[in-house]
Structure formats: structure tokens, C-alpha cells
Amino acid sequence: VQLQASGGGLVQAGGSLRLSCSASGYTFSRLALSWFRRAPGEEREFVAAIHRNGGTHYADNMKGRFTISRDNAKKSVYLQMNSLKPEDTAAYFCAARDTILTAPLPTGANQYSSWGQGTQVTVSS
């Protein structure tokens, strides 16, 4: 699977951004998709994931602010980020893996086999 992330940028605290990630080279509807992020000097961090069955899961500190969604027709996954904080500043990566409908939604980085190149989000205070 080839993944291309976009939509990052500079935003003031309290603002919003919508990240997009388009996929190619695989049957998109079979994929579990996720977003991770990495701040400078920090470990990669799980943000949100969406199952091929539409189920979602969020990191605790993103619940209520971030929304992950997918459009199988457009072969894309999105991350709507609201009420952004300076601590949300990071490079955001989309990831994908094939899964079956009944499998648990993967949330660990080592469970994903395909990664996009990352898009930078910077939140100013």
C-alpha cells in the first residue's frame, strides 16, 4: 500500500486542521487505517484508528477533539483536529494494514505494515 498524507500546516492554538491520507496499490476497503504522530525528541504516539468495519479508537488525550473517518470511494482516511494545542505539534503519519472484519482494531505501530511520509502540524500559542 502506498500512502500519501497531506493537510498539515501552522495554526494557532484553538484552531482546526484536517489531515488527509490517500492510498493506492491495495483494496482500500480491506484496510485498517490509523494516524500516529511524533514530536521532536519524542517517541511515536498513537492518535486514532479506524477499522474496515467503521469502528474507531482514539488515544485518551485526543478523544473529543480529533475525529478519524474514511471514504472508501475516495480511498482516503481523514483526521479532523479541533481545539488544537501547542502540545499537538508533531509530524503526523498515516498507516495501514490489511485486516479481517472480526479482528481487533490494531493500535500499535508495530501492527501496521504501510506508512505514509508524514505531514507536519505546528500549533502556535
Side-chain angles (χ1 to χ4, degrees):
V1 183
Q2 290 78 49
L3 301 170
Q4 181 74 35
S6 61
L10 174 64
V11 64
Q12 289 188 329
S16 299
L17 280 175
R18 187 191 192 213
L19 306 183
S20 300
C21 178
S22 60
S24 62
Y26 206 80
T27 304
F28 187 82
S29 59
R30 292 182 56 86
L31 296 173
L33 301 147
S34 64
W35 290 94
F36 289 79
R37 70 185 186 185
R38 177 177 285 162
E42 301 291 331
E43 296 291 322
R44 183 167 44 188
E45 177 184 24
F46 170 76
V47 175
I50 186 165
H51 206 292
R52 60 180 287 187
N53 62 21
T56 58
H57 183 73
Y58 297 89
D60 287 343
N61 54 340
M62 283 71 159
K63 286 180 182 177
R65 298 192 301 125
F66 291 7
T67 303
I68 189 171
S69 61
R70 64 189 294 160
D71 186 331
N72 288 349
K74 295 183 178 180
K75 298 182 180 180
S76 294
V77 60
Y78 308 99
L79 185 68
Q80 177 67 44
M81 304 186 294
N82 299 326
S83 303
L84 283 162
K85 306 174 182 179
E87 51 265 41
D88 293 319
T89 295
Y92 285 70
F93 300 86
C94 54
R97 66 159 291 159
D98 182 85
T99 189
I100 60 175
L101 283 170
T102 55
L105 179 59
T107 59
N110 60 0
Q111 295 176 289
Y112 286 89
S113 53
S114 299
W115 291 83
Q117 85 288 2
T119 185
Q120 179 66 35
V121 172
T122 302
V123 185
S124 62
S125 57

